[in-house]
Amino acid sequence: MKKRVRTLYRVSRKSQLKEDDIPMQRSACRAFLKTKTDWWYDEENSYLEKGISGFLKSSSDRDVIQTILEDAKNKEFDVLLVFLFDRIGRKEYDTPLIVKTLSQLGIEIWSVKEGEQQFKDHSDDLINYIRFWQASGESKKTSIRVKEGQRRQALKGEYHGGEPSYGFKVVSSNILNKDGKPKGMLVINHSEAEVIEVMFSLAIKRQYGSSRIAKHINKLGYRNRKGKEWTMEAVHKVLINPLVKGVVVSGKTTTDEEGKKVKQPESEWIINTDHKDRLQIISDEDYDYVQELMQSRKTKRRTKDEDVNYTILTKGEFLFSGIARCGYCGNKLYTDKRFKTVKNKTMKDRRYMTSYYRCRHKDYNKDSKCKRTYAKTKMEKLILEDVHRYIKGFEDENLINRVKKSIYDLDNSYKKSYEENNINLKKLENELKSLKDEVVKSLMGDSKFSSDLLGNLIAEKEEEVTKLKYKLLEDEKQYKKEKKEFDDLYSTSKFIPNWNEEFEKLDDEEKKVALSKIVKEVVFYRDKIEVEFKLGLKEFIEHVFKEVIN
């Protein structure tokens, strides 16, 4: 009775399917089968793995290997034939067990190039392990070579495969690769870049989040690269991609030995800024502002910190939703709408809608001093009049230049302080390292310092390092806060000379963003309104005017 033979063909990449790998394996196996007269080839039920890595994927994650094991248990074949044993796998701790299991199930394992793998004694077990240990080592070397090649390409700013990010496309360059073919070069896809500009405009001018941006651009008729509607996740991916500001970043993730993607620390990232003139769609300032805006939303949701004021409620018609408070109970006012029915001159009912700011505390505490509702139109008119008076008092033609100078001074001051503190930190870390090196000498009796003294000195030095690192973080936090305030001042100062005229050109959502840069809070009373302006603007402008007077 002839032995039933099944073959296993595997390629690691789907691109190899278009090449000669599978036909070459199949041709070699068929030629080998002709030499075995007592074998019968069960070609119909043989096995094929397309684009599956034998190094990154374990046998438990490979459906074909599990099918082979199940068929072997069911005695459906007698011989498994492969071109090379590494077609079964390349994991040194995993693949030898698969081969041994198949052998224990009565299956002969043959390779066209390496013959039969038998298990007659311990030496066969060792040979089995060494074979796949070598295959695993070759895969690791290949992985290192590929990653190093990609790293060199990234450092040069070259395109290294895969689908280009939204907003970009690949064209042939004048540089040839080792095969004499033109290398791919990343350039801006102008039709997609237009959509990206719309996204950032909505994020900045209207303070939209990813979800509202997706809904808005879908209504405008924009579609993604596949012709489908935009999703919140896809928009978010575009907003956080540093490539839109012309910065090529790679190496954010890597693949571990289990084939899983893991995040790399920032120190391992490869950052290239040499091609900004060719790749930049969004300015650095706008990109960084949107990142801070999104981060502030996360921070506010996580900490409920009222001082985090990037995010405002731009949705809806109420200009001061989110920053309006009741002057009696101190709670935030909610927005509400009511329908009223009145008789017109002909005694017919006329139904219309009115909008209110509403204190819910009054709803549940009828005896409180709070006023239940405040008419939207009336209250917003009074607040805007107050804002316009406030702005008019600060009209000054040199204001924009003075804000620019303050931003320039702030950047230089922080840069100088940061460099000085970093120099001091490196000095402290070197001193700490020297003290730790001295410990070994002390243990060997070659140091003039006692171990107790060294322990105390190391503890003191570590505390100094910790304090300086903390100071660096706090200085960075304070710098970003002040930079944000000055950025707000700059965008506001551009409006001041023609505030009334420019303000009226904005839609409701853009008005809310403009007002949020000036107004911190509005407090409603029965007989008055108190508008609390952001101190940064007031103090800065008052400082400017003092300089002018002096």
Side-chain angles (χ1 to χ4, degrees):
M1 185 176 178
K2 290 188 176 183
K3 296 177 183 178
R4 297 162 298 170
V5 182
R6 290 184 182 179
T7 51
L8 167 64
Y9 307 123
R10 180 181 66 81
V11 287
S12 300
R13 301 186 308 277
K14 289 184 178 179
S15 61
Q16 291 175 292
L17 294 171
K18 299 176 183 178
E19 298 167 6
D20 296 328
D21 290 67
I22 292 292
M24 181 271 292
Q25 293 180 43
R26 184 179 284 115
S27 176
C29 286
R30 283 176 175 171
F32 186 78
L33 283 162
K34 289 178 181 178
T35 66
K36 300 291 183 179
T37 56
D38 60 336
W39 286 9
W40 173 74
Y41 184 25
D42 184 7
E43 186 171 9
E44 184 180 347
N45 293 309
S46 286
Y47 310 101
L48 174 64
E49 279 190 303
K50 302 177 181 180
I52 301 296
S53 170
F55 172 64
L56 296 178
K57 280 188 175 288
S58 64
S59 59
S60 60
D61 295 325
R62 292 168 60 192
D63 293 339
V64 170
I65 292 296
Q66 295 307 309
T67 301
I68 290 172
L69 289 171
E70 189 64 29
D71 291 350
K73 289 176 186 176
N74 295 330
K75 307 295 182 182
E76 294 184 16
F77 66 98
D78 305 300
V79 178
L80 181 67
L81 176 64
V82 292
F83 177 65
L84 289 169
F85 282 123
D86 66 6
R87 297 303 85 194
I88 300 173
R90 284 174 171 264
K91 296 183 76 67
E92 68 244 61
Y93 297 112
D94 181 60
T95 313
L97 294 176
I98 298 299
V99 174
K100 184 71 178 285
T101 300
L102 286 171
S103 178
Q104 290 171 342
L105 291 169
I107 305 298
E108 294 179 20
I109 303 100
W110 283 78
S111 159
V112 172
K113 295 294 183 181
E114 298 144 306
E116 182 182 7
Q117 175 61 62
Q118 296 180 328
F119 292 93
K120 292 180 178 178
D121 52 40
H122 290 303
S123 62
D124 289 328
D125 285 318
L126 181 60
I127 291 170
N128 183 42
Y129 175 78
I130 290 173
R131 176 183 289 120
F132 293 106
W133 172 74
Q134 287 177 323
S136 175
E138 287 302 315
S139 290
K140 288 177 181 177
K141 289 177 185 176
T142 301
S143 176
I144 291 169
R145 286 196 298 270
V146 169
K147 287 177 181 176
E148 181 59 27
Q150 290 178 340
R151 181 177 178 278
R152 287 197 300 270
Q153 286 179 310
L155 286 171
K156 294 177 183 178
E158 295 177 355
Y159 172 69
H160 52 81
E163 184 179 4
S165 300
Y166 188 82
F168 302 89
K169 62 183 179 181
V170 179
V171 298
S172 297
S173 69
N174 296 325
I175 304 171
L176 302 180
N177 62 19
K178 61 182 180 181
D179 298 322
K181 297 178 181 179
K183 285 187 175 182
M185 180 174 69
L186 214 56
V187 296
I188 293 173
N189 182 326
H190 292 286
S191 61
E192 293 181 350
E194 179 186 327
V195 184
I196 293 176
E197 288 171 349
V198 172
M199 289 180 185
F200 274 84
S201 176
L202 292 169
I204 295 168
K205 291 183 179 179
R206 300 193 181 189
Q207 307 250 319
Y208 279 7
S210 300
S211 178
R212 290 183 72 191
I213 290 174
K215 290 177 183 177
H216 190 85
I217 63 177
N218 285 334
K219 284 182 180 179
L220 293 176
Y222 292 111
R223 294 294 181 264
N224 64 21
R225 192 174 281 169
K226 295 180 179 178
K228 296 181 179 180
E229 289 194 342
W230 283 91
T231 63
M232 176 183 73
E233 294 78 12
V235 170
H236 181 75
K237 190 175 179 181
V238 171
L239 293 178
I240 64 171
N241 186 5
L243 190 57
V244 301
K245 68 169 182 175
V247 177
V248 181
V249 179
S250 61
K252 284 186 175 183
T253 60
T254 188
T255 308
D256 64 13
E257 291 191 359
E258 298 299 320
K260 297 177 182 177
K261 275 192 175 182
V262 291
K263 289 183 178 180
Q264 292 266 71
E266 284 193 39
S267 58
E268 297 293 322
W269 294 3
I270 302 166
I271 300 173
N272 187 297
T273 59
D274 296 339
H275 304 278
K276 293 192 79 163
D277 57 334
R278 175 164 56 84
L279 298 175
Q280 188 163 23
I281 298 171
I282 302 298
S283 71
D284 288 5
E285 294 78 11
D286 286 350
Y287 178 84
D288 293 343
Y289 177 76
V290 170
Q291 307 317 301
E292 291 170 3
L293 191 64
M294 291 191 292
Q295 185 58 42
S296 72
R297 290 190 181 116
K298 287 182 184 177
T299 304
K300 195 161 188 174
R301 282 196 297 268
R302 188 167 59 247
T303 65
K304 296 184 179 179
D305 186 354
E306 293 297 329
D307 292 331
V308 179
N309 56 11
Y310 279 96
T311 308
I312 63 168
L313 302 177
T314 59
K315 197 172 184 178
E317 63 185 64
F318 291 80
L319 290 180
F320 300 98
S321 56
I323 59 172
R325 289 186 183 274
C326 173
Y328 300 100
C329 66
N331 291 324
K332 282 188 177 182
L333 296 178
Y334 291 82
T335 57
D336 195 10
K337 293 180 181 180
R338 287 183 185 174
F339 284 98
K340 283 190 175 182
T341 304
V342 297
K343 301 283 186 182
N344 60 18
K345 291 180 181 180
T346 61
M347 299 305 291
K348 289 184 179 180
D349 288 344
R350 185 172 69 84
R351 197 164 181 254
Y352 67 96
M353 186 179 67
T354 55
S355 301
Y356 297 91
Y357 288 92
R358 186 183 190 93
C359 178
R360 287 190 179 174
H361 181 73
K362 181 67 174 179
D363 292 339
Y364 303 109
N365 299 275
K366 294 182 179 179
D367 296 332
S368 70
K369 294 181 180 180
C370 304
K371 188 175 185 297
R372 180 173 278 109
T373 59
Y374 299 88
K376 170 189 176 295
T377 304
K378 178 184 175 182
M379 303 309 282
E380 289 185 354
K381 182 181 177 184
L382 292 172
I383 298 169
L384 288 176
E385 287 174 356
D386 203 3
V387 171
H388 293 332
R389 282 194 297 272
Y390 179 79
I391 292 294
K392 191 170 178 61
F394 298 130
E395 291 179 353
D396 176 60
E397 60 183 9
N398 293 318
L399 185 58
I400 293 177
N401 290 332
R402 290 175 182 274
V403 175
K404 279 184 177 179
K405 183 178 183 304
S406 294
I407 293 173
Y408 177 79
D409 291 343
L410 175 68
D411 288 341
N412 280 347
S413 174
Y414 173 71
K415 184 179 179 182
K416 183 179 178 182
S417 172
Y418 177 80
E419 288 174 351
E420 288 176 356
N421 285 327
N422 252 325
I423 290 170
N424 291 334
L425 179 62
K426 287 179 181 177
K427 182 181 177 183
L428 286 173
E429 287 175 336
N430 287 334
E431 291 173 357
L432 179 61
K433 183 179 182 301
S434 297
L435 287 171
K436 287 181 176 179
D437 291 343
E438 196 69 28
V439 171
V440 178
K441 295 179 182 178
S442 176
L443 292 173
M444 297 177 68
D446 296 333
S447 174
K448 55 186 176 181
F449 299 105
S450 68
S451 57
D452 289 341
L453 178 59
L454 278 172
N456 291 332
L457 290 172
I458 288 171
E460 289 174 6
K461 197 63 67 176
E462 284 178 338
E463 186 177 356
E464 287 183 57
V465 169
T466 301
K467 284 181 178 179
L468 189 51
K469 284 182 176 179
Y470 179 77
K471 185 178 185 307
L472 279 164
L473 289 172
E474 287 299 302
D475 286 352
E476 182 183 14
K477 185 178 177 181
Q478 183 62 27
Y479 165 71
K480 286 183 176 179
K481 182 181 177 184
E482 291 182 18
K483 184 74 186 296
K484 169 63 176 60
E485 290 174 354
F486 277 125
D487 287 342
D488 280 351
L489 283 170
Y490 179 68
S491 60
T492 304
S493 63
K494 291 190 290 185
F495 274 99
I496 286 177
N498 303 296
W499 170 265
N500 287 354
E501 180 184 340
E502 295 296 329
F503 185 78
E504 292 306 319
K505 291 179 183 177
L506 306 176
D507 61 29
D508 284 346
E509 290 173 337
E510 291 170 336
K511 284 178 180 177
K512 290 179 192 180
V513 175
L515 288 167
S516 73
K517 298 180 185 301
I518 303 169
V519 180
K520 182 178 182 181
E521 186 177 75
V522 288
V523 185
F524 289 29
Y525 294 90
R526 293 176 183 275
D527 56 349
K528 64 176 181 177
I529 292 176
E530 291 181 356
V531 181
E532 184 180 351
F533 294 96
K534 291 189 175 179
L535 293 176
L537 177 65
K538 185 177 180 181
E539 290 180 340
F540 176 79
I541 297 178
E542 285 176 351
H543 175 67
V544 167
F545 274 85
K546 276 183 184 178
E547 286 186 351
V548 173
I549 293 169
N550 294 335

PDB file of all heavy atoms in Angstrom, residues 130-141:
ATOM      1  N   ILE A 130      18.687  22.276  16.558  1.00  0.00           N
ATOM      2  CA  ILE A 130      19.712  23.138  15.958  1.00  0.00           C
ATOM      3  C   ILE A 130      19.262  23.674  14.610  1.00  0.00           C
ATOM      4  O   ILE A 130      19.491  24.837  14.273  1.00  0.00           O
ATOM      5  CB  ILE A 130      21.055  22.370  15.820  1.00  0.00           C
ATOM      6  CG1 ILE A 130      21.657  22.134  17.213  1.00  0.00           C
ATOM      7  CG2 ILE A 130      22.025  23.138  14.931  1.00  0.00           C
ATOM      8  CD1 ILE A 130      22.895  21.247  17.202  1.00  0.00           C
ATOM      9  N   ARG A 131      18.595  22.820  13.822  1.00  0.00           N
ATOM     10  CA  ARG A 131      18.128  23.255  12.497  1.00  0.00           C
ATOM     11  C   ARG A 131      17.232  24.495  12.618  1.00  0.00           C
ATOM     12  O   ARG A 131      17.410  25.482  11.907  1.00  0.00           O
ATOM     13  CB  ARG A 131      17.381  22.112  11.816  1.00  0.00           C
ATOM     14  CG  ARG A 131      16.785  22.534  10.471  1.00  0.00           C
ATOM     15  CD  ARG A 131      15.983  21.408   9.846  1.00  0.00           C
ATOM     16  NE  ARG A 131      16.872  20.345   9.369  1.00  0.00           N
ATOM     17  CZ  ARG A 131      16.837  19.086   9.801  1.00  0.00           C
ATOM     18  NH1 ARG A 131      15.959  18.739  10.723  1.00  0.00           N
ATOM     19  NH2 ARG A 131      17.673  18.182   9.321  1.00  0.00           N
ATOM     20  N   PHE A 132      16.241  24.433  13.518  1.00  0.00           N
ATOM     21  CA  PHE A 132      15.298  25.539  13.616  1.00  0.00           C
ATOM     22  C   PHE A 132      15.877  26.716  14.411  1.00  0.00           C
ATOM     23  O   PHE A 132      15.458  27.852  14.237  1.00  0.00           O
ATOM     24  CB  PHE A 132      13.977  25.048  14.215  1.00  0.00           C
ATOM     25  CG  PHE A 132      13.261  24.106  13.296  1.00  0.00           C
ATOM     26  CD1 PHE A 132      13.229  22.744  13.559  1.00  0.00           C
ATOM     27  CD2 PHE A 132      12.664  24.567  12.131  1.00  0.00           C
ATOM     28  CE1 PHE A 132      12.594  21.864  12.696  1.00  0.00           C
ATOM     29  CE2 PHE A 132      12.032  23.695  11.255  1.00  0.00           C
ATOM     30  CZ  PHE A 132      11.996  22.339  11.532  1.00  0.00           C
ATOM     31  N   TRP A 133      16.854  26.415  15.269  1.00  0.00           N
ATOM     32  CA  TRP A 133      17.571  27.495  15.944  1.00  0.00           C
ATOM     33  C   TRP A 133      18.339  28.328  14.913  1.00  0.00           C
ATOM     34  O   TRP A 133      18.341  29.558  14.964  1.00  0.00           O
ATOM     35  CB  TRP A 133      18.526  26.894  16.973  1.00  0.00           C
ATOM     36  CG  TRP A 133      19.458  27.898  17.592  1.00  0.00           C
ATOM     37  CD1 TRP A 133      19.171  28.854  18.516  1.00  0.00           C
ATOM     38  CD2 TRP A 133      20.860  28.035  17.299  1.00  0.00           C
ATOM     39  NE1 TRP A 133      20.291  29.580  18.830  1.00  0.00           N
ATOM     40  CE2 TRP A 133      21.346  29.109  18.095  1.00  0.00           C
ATOM     41  CE3 TRP A 133      21.753  27.367  16.448  1.00  0.00           C
ATOM     42  CZ2 TRP A 133      22.678  29.510  18.065  1.00  0.00           C
ATOM     43  CZ3 TRP A 133      23.077  27.774  16.436  1.00  0.00           C
ATOM     44  CH2 TRP A 133      23.531  28.834  17.222  1.00  0.00           C
ATOM     45  N   GLN A 134      18.961  27.659  13.934  1.00  0.00           N
ATOM     46  CA  GLN A 134      19.670  28.362  12.861  1.00  0.00           C
ATOM     47  C   GLN A 134      18.687  29.159  11.994  1.00  0.00           C
ATOM     48  O   GLN A 134      18.960  30.292  11.610  1.00  0.00           O
ATOM     49  CB  GLN A 134      20.433  27.366  11.987  1.00  0.00           C
ATOM     50  CG  GLN A 134      21.670  26.781  12.650  1.00  0.00           C
ATOM     51  CD  GLN A 134      22.355  25.744  11.779  1.00  0.00           C
ATOM     52  OE1 GLN A 134      21.684  24.971  11.089  1.00  0.00           O
ATOM     53  NE2 GLN A 134      23.676  25.713  11.808  1.00  0.00           N
ATOM     54  N   ALA A 135      17.532  28.550  11.683  1.00  0.00           N
ATOM     55  CA  ALA A 135      16.525  29.240  10.864  1.00  0.00           C
ATOM     56  C   ALA A 135      16.014  30.485  11.576  1.00  0.00           C
ATOM     57  O   ALA A 135      15.822  31.540  10.963  1.00  0.00           O
ATOM     58  CB  ALA A 135      15.364  28.292  10.561  1.00  0.00           C
ATOM     59  N   SER A 136      15.814  30.352  12.896  1.00  0.00           N
ATOM     60  CA  SER A 136      15.357  31.494  13.683  1.00  0.00           C
ATOM     61  C   SER A 136      16.408  32.601  13.673  1.00  0.00           C
ATOM     62  O   SER A 136      16.094  33.787  13.535  1.00  0.00           O
ATOM     63  CB  SER A 136      15.067  31.065  15.129  1.00  0.00           C
ATOM     64  OG  SER A 136      14.731  32.169  15.925  1.00  0.00           O
ATOM     65  N   GLY A 137      17.681  32.183  13.798  1.00  0.00           N
ATOM     66  CA  GLY A 137      18.771  33.176  13.768  1.00  0.00           C
ATOM     67  C   GLY A 137      18.840  33.908  12.446  1.00  0.00           C
ATOM     68  O   GLY A 137      19.055  35.123  12.402  1.00  0.00           O
ATOM     69  N   GLU A 138      18.638  33.179  11.346  1.00  0.00           N
ATOM     70  CA  GLU A 138      18.642  33.815  10.023  1.00  0.00           C
ATOM     71  C   GLU A 138      17.504  34.814   9.893  1.00  0.00           C
ATOM     72  O   GLU A 138      17.667  35.887   9.310  1.00  0.00           O
ATOM     73  CB  GLU A 138      18.530  32.744   8.928  1.00  0.00           C
ATOM     74  CG  GLU A 138      19.790  31.935   8.718  1.00  0.00           C
ATOM     75  CD  GLU A 138      20.981  32.823   8.352  1.00  0.00           C
ATOM     76  OE1 GLU A 138      20.814  33.705   7.499  1.00  0.00           O
ATOM     77  OE2 GLU A 138      22.059  32.628   8.938  1.00  0.00           O
ATOM     78  N   SER A 139      16.318  34.454  10.441  1.00  0.00           N
ATOM     79  CA  SER A 139      15.178  35.374  10.402  1.00  0.00           C
ATOM     80  C   SER A 139      15.472  36.641  11.196  1.00  0.00           C
ATOM     81  O   SER A 139      15.118  37.747  10.789  1.00  0.00           O
ATOM     82  CB  SER A 139      13.924  34.695  10.961  1.00  0.00           C
ATOM     83  OG  SER A 139      13.467  33.697  10.085  1.00  0.00           O
ATOM     84  N   LYS A 140      16.120  36.473  12.350  1.00  0.00           N
ATOM     85  CA  LYS A 140      16.462  37.643  13.170  1.00  0.00           C
ATOM     86  C   LYS A 140      17.448  38.546  12.435  1.00  0.00           C
ATOM     87  O   LYS A 140      17.323  39.770  12.460  1.00  0.00           O
ATOM     88  CB  LYS A 140      17.054  37.188  14.513  1.00  0.00           C
ATOM     89  CG  LYS A 140      16.011  36.594  15.449  1.00  0.00           C
ATOM     90  CD  LYS A 140      16.644  36.082  16.740  1.00  0.00           C
ATOM     91  CE  LYS A 140      15.595  35.465  17.648  1.00  0.00           C
ATOM     92  NZ  LYS A 140      16.186  34.902  18.887  1.00  0.00           N
ATOM     93  N   LYS A 141      18.430  37.918  11.769  1.00  0.00           N
ATOM     94  CA  LYS A 141      19.400  38.716  11.009  1.00  0.00           C
ATOM     95  C   LYS A 141      18.713  39.463   9.872  1.00  0.00           C
ATOM     96  O   LYS A 141      19.009  40.624   9.605  1.00  0.00           O
ATOM     97  CB  LYS A 141      20.496  37.808  10.439  1.00  0.00           C
ATOM     98  CG  LYS A 141      21.453  37.251  11.490  1.00  0.00           C
ATOM     99  CD  LYS A 141      22.454  36.295  10.853  1.00  0.00           C
ATOM    100  CE  LYS A 141      23.340  35.636  11.893  1.00  0.00           C
ATOM    101  NZ  LYS A 141      24.248  34.631  11.288  1.00  0.00           N
TER     102      LYS A 141
END
